[in-house]
Amino acid sequence: LESKMQGFDERIRKPYPNVKYLNYRSKKRILVTGGAGFVGSHLVDRLMKDGHDITVVDNFFTGVKANVEQWIGHANFELIHQDIVNPLFVEVDEIYHLASPASPPHYMFNPVKTIKTNTIGTINMLGLAKRVGAKVLIASTSEVYGDPEVHPQPETYWGHVNPIGPRACYDEGKRVSETLSYAYAKHEKVSVRVARIFNTHGPRMHMNDGRVVSNFILQALRNEPITVYGRGNQTRSFQYVSDLVNGLIALMDSNYTQPVNLGNPTEHTINEFAVIIKGLVGGKSKVITTPAVEDDPQRRKPDITRAMTYLNWKPKVGLKEGLKMTIDYFKQEIKKSQKNV
Ligand code: UDP
């Protein structure tokens, strides 16, 4: 074997991270759609370490193999290169349905494809869940609240979405995903969980996904201007990815079937984010304003009473603590890309 490995990438020979041993009664077969993406791959790490049998399906539009490479070849791990717009036939106990581009530039890149992923893709996953009797968790979004008139946003708020605006492919796509979930739950007795995920950051975020955290960190690291869109008094609330993963697993394992917000209620304006990130990174960047983007939600902050009550979940990682880890990741990625050129 050693000789066969000659000439391969050094990393292939790294030992696997420790994996718990589970007997057949407690070991679950879990499908993670979008499992090679930012959130999906962190979820896969946790479920693998917990000892479960994991199948990842990804079309690698925004997901990357490097995010799951530490598991390739492991007996509990399987990677399928497929687009979930096409039906998938696997036997599983649980499905975490995370597949969809999630950053505005990515989901706007091909709006029709984003709609297909969130409608046909979700039908395929709910249909699979129905056939094999699996529980399914749908990754929904705070975008279902649109540009909210209620603040902070509880799950009971119906939202304020422009159905024909540039964000509609994602917002309405996720709203239909939720509608489909409850239609399958009611009509087909599928066991569904719906997570409304708020802004999240952490390692493995796409370098160039155009989101505020990645943009600001990269701009600060490169001493380029930090671009605030519009007046910068729009707000967001950011959670660290490990908190989200804990919330997703807690929701799947709970008996709670209504939608649940998963996010960190610490809210800041975009101007404040620019100052915070610049302060953590250092450097000589100036903060500049560029034209506002269309239909940009002006305020966003989760009401997490439901998650606290029914899942006993709340975020643990503070904003600055989390941002430091995300910044370290981007520093490493920049180093890697410099080595490769
Ligand atoms: N934003 C910004 N500068 C950037 C990228 C984003 O000011 O370089 C703003 C954007 O207008 C929005 C907020 O940051 O108000 C969050 O944008 P993001 O694309 O990260 O996610 P969203 O929450 O809008 O999906």
Side-chain angles (χ1 to χ4, degrees):
L1 183 72
E2 198 52 32
S3 63
K4 269 193 187 164
M5 290 293 216
Q6 294 286 325
F8 276 73
D9 189 319
E10 262 315 295
R11 287 169 301 179
I12 289 173
R13 270 179 280 180
K14 250 194 190 173
Y16 293 114
N18 280 340
V19 165
K20 213 164 127 184
Y21 173 76
L22 291 180
N23 68 26
Y24 73 96
R25 267 192 234 103
S26 33
K27 191 172 185 167
K28 290 184 282 196
R29 300 161 304 171
I30 304 175
L31 174 67
V32 183
T33 77
F38 160 50
V39 174
S41 65
H42 285 284
L43 176 67
V44 166
D45 284 350
R46 258 292 296 283
L47 297 170
M48 279 295 296
K49 286 177 189 165
D50 287 348
H52 298 292
D53 238 333
I54 307 301
T55 303
V56 164
V57 59
D58 209 296
N59 69 352
F60 302 111
F61 171 48
T62 57
V64 287
K65 280 183 196 150
N67 285 345
V68 289
E69 70 181 348
Q70 65 274 34
W71 300 117
I72 289 173
H74 193 287
N76 288 353
F77 182 79
E78 198 177 341
L79 178 61
I80 303 176
H81 184 165
Q82 192 188 306
D83 194 312
I84 41 106
V85 163
N86 303 312
L88 180 70
F89 298 93
V90 286
E91 311 303 314
V92 288
D93 306 302
E94 290 180 354
I95 302 167
Y96 287 87
H97 178 36
L98 271 55
S100 172
S103 101
H106 285 165
Y107 68 63
M108 289 177 200
F109 173 76
N110 186 343
V112 174
K113 178 73 186 174
T114 300
I115 297 168
K116 282 187 186 169
T117 303
N118 282 293
T119 53
I120 303 170
T122 302
I123 290 175
N124 285 337
M125 288 309 112
L126 288 162
L128 172 64
K130 176 187 158 189
R131 185 175 64 83
V132 300
K135 252 201 251 179
V136 56
L137 181 146
I138 304 288
S140 183
T141 169
S142 54
E143 289 276 334
V144 299
Y145 302 123
D147 187 8
E149 297 148 306
V150 173
H151 194 76
Q153 294 80 52
E155 293 86 347
T156 46
Y157 177 47
W158 289 358
H160 182 223
V161 172
N162 173 3
I164 56 167
R167 304 176 85 101
C169 57
Y170 186 70
D171 299 12
E172 299 289 16
K174 290 292 187 186
R175 288 170 68 97
V176 173
S177 255
E178 291 198 9
T179 311
L180 284 165
S181 303
Y182 292 105
Y184 270 79
K186 194 163 180 202
H187 202 252
E188 311 287 356
K189 306 280 173 286
V190 174
S191 181
V192 299
R193 308 285 181 274
V194 173
R196 291 190 179 149
I197 302 173
F198 282 65
N199 295 67
T200 307
H201 70 96
R204 302 187 192 150
M205 272 186 101
H206 243 271
M207 290 267 276
N208 302 314
D209 74 0
R211 284 198 265 209
V212 70
V213 168
S214 44
N215 276 6
F216 286 6
I217 293 176
L218 283 177
Q219 289 161 344
L221 286 171
R222 291 172 175 157
N223 290 313
E224 289 166 2
I226 295 180
T227 53
V228 170
Y229 300 162
R231 288 167 55 207
N233 48 12
Q234 68 272 36
T235 69
R236 291 294 187 274
S237 311
F238 273 93
Q239 70 183 329
Y240 190 66
V241 67
S242 58
D243 282 330
L244 173 59
V245 166
N246 290 338
L248 292 172
I249 294 173
L251 177 59
M252 179 67 103
D253 291 348
S254 78
N255 292 322
Y256 195 73
T257 55
Q258 289 296 296
V260 178
N261 288 339
L262 294 176
N264 190 322
T266 310
E267 182 188 13
H268 285 284
T269 66
I270 297 305
N271 285 329
E272 286 165 355
F273 272 118
V275 173
I276 293 169
I277 289 176
K278 200 187 150 190
L280 290 174
V281 175
K284 298 191 265 310
S285 295
K286 283 204 181 73
V287 178
I288 60 162
T289 41
T290 65
V293 293
E294 201 183 332
D295 284 352
D296 201 0
Q298 290 307 295
R299 294 184 302 175
R300 184 180 292 159
K301 170 184 170 158
D303 177 330
I304 58 165
T305 314
R306 253 190 204 178
M308 292 197 298
T309 310
Y310 295 99
L311 311 182
N312 196 19
W313 174 89
K314 64 171 193 258
K316 292 184 197 141
V317 182
L319 179 67
K320 285 194 180 166
E321 187 192 343
L323 280 175
K324 280 184 197 155
M325 295 188 267
T326 307
I327 292 167
D328 281 345
Y329 170 77
F330 279 107
K331 280 185 186 160
Q332 287 165 22
E333 286 300 290
I334 290 179
K335 258 196 212 144
K336 266 196 228 161
S337 66
Q338 283 164 345
K339 259 194 217 158
N340 289 338
V341 279

